[in-house]
Amino acid sequence: MSRAVQIQQPGGPEQLKIADVSVGEPGPGEIRIRHKAVGLNYIDVYHRTGMYPLKLPHTLGMEGAGMVEAVGQGVTHLKVGDRAAYASQPPGSYCEVRVMPAKTVCKLPDAISFETGAAMMLKGLTAQYLLKRTQPQGGLKEGDHILFHAAAGGVGLIACQWARAMGLQLIGTAGSDAKCALAKENGAAHVINYSTEDFQARVKEITGGRGVKVVYDSVGKDTWDKSLDCLQPFGLMASFGASSGAPAPFAPAMLAAKGSIYVTRQTLFTHIATREAAQEMADDLFAAVTGGKVKIHIEQRYPLEHVEQAHRDLEARKTTGSTILTL
């Protein structure tokens, strides 16, 4: 048996309930993992509210780290006793033990703790595919300006550090002076408090009127329109979330009027759809962390039984960096 956090129906944080669930043996292509720590991400809110529908009842959670307890037929990259971490579909990491697909589970280097592993996989792999695989026409070169919204969040703080290591001029936005200072400390070349400043005007000022090559946006509705106007001709709007709600529909001709710009909606799980891609991206992330280019900031820890409060704080934008649930 395992304790797990499940929802019986979509709704607010009060829908998160601890339940005892039975855990069986892994089938072909699966493993059983005993978690040491579990990551908290905004996609968990989308699942809880029904914005991303799940078959109910369902255990939430997209990332975790722990020890491999059993291995199913055909799994060759993991063995019993391995330290492991993952970001994976289907949801289900808010638990002590689970059986899950092995494809995107990676061996965790000894130099990385379980807590760090649980805090870094979904957010770190997201930063990896954004900065390395979601690039504007002609790619990104040292000295290029990019705009990154929610720069003090879990993905944002990793992106700030990684962008600095790549020689990029990251302009980070956040909702308070304290969060802006945190982004700056972690490598943002410039920071903008979007609650007190017009970020579009500041971006044009910072870039001498040229705009940025790419905008990375997980906020959505509240930042969408002005973000498009921050782009250079042929620039790229890379949407990867919608914490403020989905942007309004738009006519494709608008992209021409704004400088023949590109728009894409990305998701991590397309990028890690194969075992080979997942491992390649994880290896890049592990190297960035163990090599000191990226430090994973775990700013909040909640016991599993306090998951409701964790969700309330996440939605209220009270969190910075990464958040984990402890077991």
Side-chain angles (χ1 to χ4, degrees), residues 47-117:
H47 286 141
R48 192 202 73 224
T49 61
M51 180 177 176
Y52 294 173
L54 297 174
K55 184 178 180 180
L56 300 175
H58 211 295
T59 303
L60 299 189
M62 304 296 291
E63 68 179 342
M67 299 290 293
V68 178
E69 283 194 340
V71 174
Q73 181 182 356
V75 177
T76 58
H77 68 287
L78 295 167
K79 65 182 186 301
V80 174
D82 278 348
R83 304 171 75 252
Y86 65 87
S88 179
Q89 294 273 27
S93 68
Y94 285 13
C95 65
E96 294 170 325
V97 186
R98 72 180 293 198
V99 169
M100 64 178 295
K103 181 172 64 174
T104 61
V105 182
C106 299
K107 287 182 67 174
L108 185 66
D110 290 340
I112 300 176
S113 71
F114 287 118
E115 286 198 351
T116 298

Side-chain angles (χ1 to χ4, degrees), residues 158-200:
I158 295 171
C160 286
Q161 297 172 76
W162 216 331
R164 176 174 58 187
M166 293 169 64
L168 302 174
Q169 297 290 303
L170 183 145
I171 305 169
T173 71
S176 71
D177 289 342
K179 288 186 175 184
C180 283
L182 186 59
K184 185 80 169 178
E185 290 168 12
N186 280 273
H190 306 273
V191 290
I192 303 169
N193 183 341
Y194 59 72
S195 66
T196 60
E197 298 181 89
D198 181 336
F199 74 81
Q200 178 191 342

Side-chain angles (χ1 to χ4, degrees), residues 297-316:
H297 293 274
I298 303 174
E299 301 294 346
Q300 297 81 212
R301 291 172 171 84
Y302 300 83
L304 187 68
E305 54 269 25
H306 293 173
V307 64
E308 180 179 336
Q309 187 60 49
H311 270 238
R312 292 189 188 281
D313 291 348
L314 182 64
E315 286 187 276

